[in-house]
Amino acid sequence: MACDSSMVVKLTYAVIICMVLVGAPLQHCEAITCGQVQGSLLSCLPYLQGRGPPSPACCNGVRGLNAAAKTKFDRQQVCRCLKSLASGIRGINYGLGAALPGKCGVRIPFTISPSTDCNRIN
């Protein structure tokens, strides 16, 4: 059976479509999880409850999380996780939370607050 050029083109398109369909879900697997957010910021809890300055471990977690949130989707996910996690912890001072990135030498594109609309983060 001889291969004509139209068959090769169709096969090439089929392979490309399969690669796109298989590769697309993998991008979401690499997204930041709330477990990662929680693990990165757990050492910040004493500071967020007004029990002292942010620890070096806290600031390392803030910097690491900021570095990991490379895409708009990641930043929105971190925002959602922060809001969800904070709502379940008593004694969080949101003013201290908003100041935390600056205390750790990090700039983030949103204010950490219960009223932040995570969908508007770029």
Side-chain angles (χ1 to χ4, degrees), residues 39-102:
S40 294
L41 301 179
L42 186 61
S43 61
C44 297
L45 192 55
Y47 166 76
L48 295 171
Q49 292 176 324
R51 298 184 283 147
S55 67
C58 169
C59 284
N60 286 340
V62 169
R63 286 189 287 271
L65 189 57
N66 186 56
K70 293 180 181 9
T71 67
K72 175 181 174 178
F73 179 81
D74 287 340
R75 290 185 291 276
Q76 289 176 342
Q77 180 66 10
V78 168
C79 176
R80 288 183 193 102
C81 291
L82 288 173
K83 288 177 70 170
S84 175
L85 292 168
S87 70
I89 301 173
R90 290 188 203 181
I92 296 286
N93 179 325
Y94 291 102
L96 292 175
L100 180 59

Side-chain angles (χ1 to χ4, degrees), residues 10-26:
K10 288 177 186 177
L11 182 59
T12 302
Y13 282 133
V15 169
I16 291 170
I17 289 170
C18 287
M19 289 171 56
V20 168
L21 292 175
V22 170
L26 293 178

Side-chain angles (χ1 to χ4, degrees), residues 28-45:
H28 294 292
C29 292
E30 295 175 14
I32 295 172
T33 67
C34 285
Q36 289 170 308
V37 173
Q38 182 178 10
S40 294
L41 301 179
L42 186 61
S43 61
C44 297
L45 192 55

